[in-house]
Structures are given as C-alpha cells and as structure tokens.
Amino acid sequence: MKRILLALLCSFVTIVAVAQEQPLDLGGIPTTPAAPTAPAVASAPSVAAPESVAKKEKSSSSFFDLVVAGGWIGYIIILLSLVAVALMIEFALTIRESVFAPKQFAEKVLQQLLQGQFVPSLQLCKSEPSVLGQVLHAGMSEYELGWNAVETKTEEAIAGHAARLYRKVEYLNVIGNIAPMLGLLGTVVGMVYAFQELADSDGYARAADLAKGIYLALVTTVQGLIVAIPALAAYSYFNNRVAKTIAETTFVAEQVLQPIKRGLMKKGK
C-alpha cells in the first residue's frame, strides 16, 4: 500500500509540475485586447496552415489546461483520485478468498486435527499470516476452556477483522463524498471571481474578464464528479466483497474446527 501511494504521489507531483508550465487556455476567448489586424497580404492557403497547427497544439494540451484551470482545489481533487486508485488496487489484491482463507492451509490444519495433532496445528496457525490462520489460532488457544470458549473467541476474531476491513473500505466512501463537495467549492470560488471582475468594472466587464472564473467553476465541478462516481461505485463493490469474503472465511473456519468440536463434545466440554 505504501509503495502504491508513493508511486501515485510521484505521478501527481509530475502532473502538477508539467501542468504549471502549460499556458491557461480559456476556450479561445482572448484575455488581452486584440492587436490591430494588419492588411491581408498572403493568400488563403498560407493562412490556413498555421491555424490548423494551432488547433492541433491546442487540443494536445487540453488535459493540462484542465488541470491548471482547477487551481489548488483541482490539485486536491486529483490527489484524492490518486488515493482512491491506490485503495482500489490494494483492495483488489488483498480482499480475496485465496488471501483470507488459503485452501492448502485449511486442508493441512484439518488433516492434522483429524490425526489428533493439536499442538502442531496450533503452531501452524500461529505462523500463518492469513485471516483464517489468525482466526483459528485465536479460537484454538481457548481449547482448555471448552467448545463454547473456542466458538466465542473465533467469532470475536472474525468480527474484529471484518470491522477493520469495513473501516478501510469506508475511505472510498469518504473520498466519494468529499470530491463533489470540493467541486462545489470550486464552483462557488469561480463564481466569486467572476462577480468580483464584474464589480471591479462597474458592471461593464467583458466576456474575457468573466471567463476565467466561470471556467474554474465548471472545471472543478467536472473534476469532483469524475472522482466521486468511480469512488462510490468501488466502495459499493468492495463493501459487498468484504461481506462475501468474511462469510466464506467463517464457513471454512467452522469446517476446520469440526474435529475439535466433536472431541470436546465427547468430553462434555
């Protein structure tokens, strides 16, 4: 997770650095008075070529124009998007049944318990880093207290892991709610800029004077929605995936502990 965040942070810094070197494009609206037009002395074909080149350059730098136009609010939204991507990658790699409850490990512990090798199986669970290993170790540690203690400790361990996972997935929900709010903040700030220009010009502001504030308002709104929609969708998906994975891990743990349950029931514990 730390490596993913570091890589995405470096990407964010690179985007910001490159974006700051790009000129702000206000959609073709001039921001300074146009110079007097000189008499046309060249033929039409010679004028068309530079215009086509300018259009190509303009379209190629449009992404960086959007980054710059969002200002510091846009940079925060982009940073949130990188954090969201890092969380999605981590959850996709870690919230899986093969990671939570490895089948080979479960079968090995079950075979040892069936053969009456309780101590080796307990040591094996202690050395296993998976959620299933930690859950089994917590439950089997209460063996001397009877099956009710084993079952209770196992359920508590599973509930603890589930709560931690749900809290981590909740970060996606937070990002999904903060991003559009930041976009709304950018909208308000942009409109404030626009009306400030209007007030400074005594109501006679040109369209070019208002364009920057309006552009900021629209760009930050778009950035916030672009981050929020995937983040909320990913939150819903991984929230359900956690519930499914925890349920599967609980089922596997119950199957592995069946020999202990039968043995303790025979002893009346």
Side-chain angles (χ1 to χ4, degrees):
M1 177 62 181
K2 292 181 179 179
R3 293 180 179 178
I4 295 174
L5 282 174
L6 182 59
L8 293 176
L9 183 59
C10 293
S11 302
F12 170 72
V13 174
T14 303
I15 291 173
V16 173
V18 175
Q20 288 179 342
E21 297 177 357
Q22 302 294 327
L24 177 60
D25 183 9
L26 297 179
I29 301 176
T31 57
T32 57
T37 305
V41 294
S43 60
S46 62
V47 176
E51 289 180 355
S52 62
V53 174
K55 289 181 179 179
K56 290 181 180 179
E57 292 178 353
K58 178 181 177 180
S59 61
S60 64
S61 61
S62 59
F63 171 75
F64 296 106
D65 291 338
L66 290 175
V67 173
V68 173
W72 61 270
I73 297 177
Y75 294 150
I76 295 176
I77 294 176
I78 293 174
L79 181 59
L80 286 178
S81 70
L82 297 178
V83 174
V85 170
L87 290 173
M88 293 177 196
I89 294 174
E90 182 194 4
F91 296 153
L93 295 176
T94 58
I95 303 178
R96 295 184 296 170
E97 183 182 358
S98 59
V99 176
F100 273 52
K103 291 183 178 179
Q104 294 181 351
F105 165 73
E107 293 174 357
K108 187 173 182 180
V109 174
L110 179 59
Q111 291 299 322
Q112 289 181 342
L113 291 176
L114 290 173
Q115 296 171 7
Q117 300 176 357
F118 177 79
V119 176
S121 62
L122 182 61
Q123 294 175 348
L124 179 61
C125 293
K126 185 177 181 180
S127 62
E128 172 63 32
S130 66
V131 174
L132 179 61
Q134 298 176 35
V135 167
L136 291 177
H137 181 264
M140 293 169 63
S141 298
E142 304 295 321
Y143 178 82
E144 298 296 333
L145 300 178
W147 171 247
N148 288 334
V150 172
E151 186 178 28
T152 300
K153 196 66 176 181
T154 302
E155 292 175 352
E156 290 177 354
I158 291 176
H161 284 287
R164 284 193 290 272
L165 283 171
Y166 282 124
R167 284 196 297 269
K168 291 183 68 175
V169 174
E170 185 67 23
Y171 290 137
L172 287 175
N173 187 34
V174 173
I175 292 174
N177 285 280
I178 289 179
M181 297 303 293
L182 287 172
L184 179 60
L185 175 61
T187 301
V188 175
V189 171
M191 298 307 296
V192 168
Y193 285 161
F195 281 102
Q196 183 64 42
E197 290 289 343
L198 189 63
D200 292 342
S201 61
D202 296 328
Y204 295 98
R206 299 173 304 162
D209 297 329
L210 303 178
K212 185 174 182 180
I214 297 174
Y215 192 40
L216 171 64
L218 297 176
V219 166
T220 53
T221 302
V222 171
Q223 290 175 338
L225 292 176
I226 288 175
V227 175
I229 293 173
L232 291 175
Y235 165 72
S236 178
Y237 171 75
F238 286 114
N239 196 58
N240 293 332
R241 190 164 168 175
V242 167
K244 180 181 177 181
T245 307
I246 289 295
E248 292 172 347
T249 303
T250 303
F251 176 77
V252 174
E254 291 175 352
Q255 296 300 313
V256 173
L257 292 176
Q258 282 300 313
I260 294 179
K261 180 179 181 180
R262 290 194 294 266
L264 291 175
M265 290 298 182
K266 289 181 180 179
K267 296 178 181 180
K269 292 185 177 181

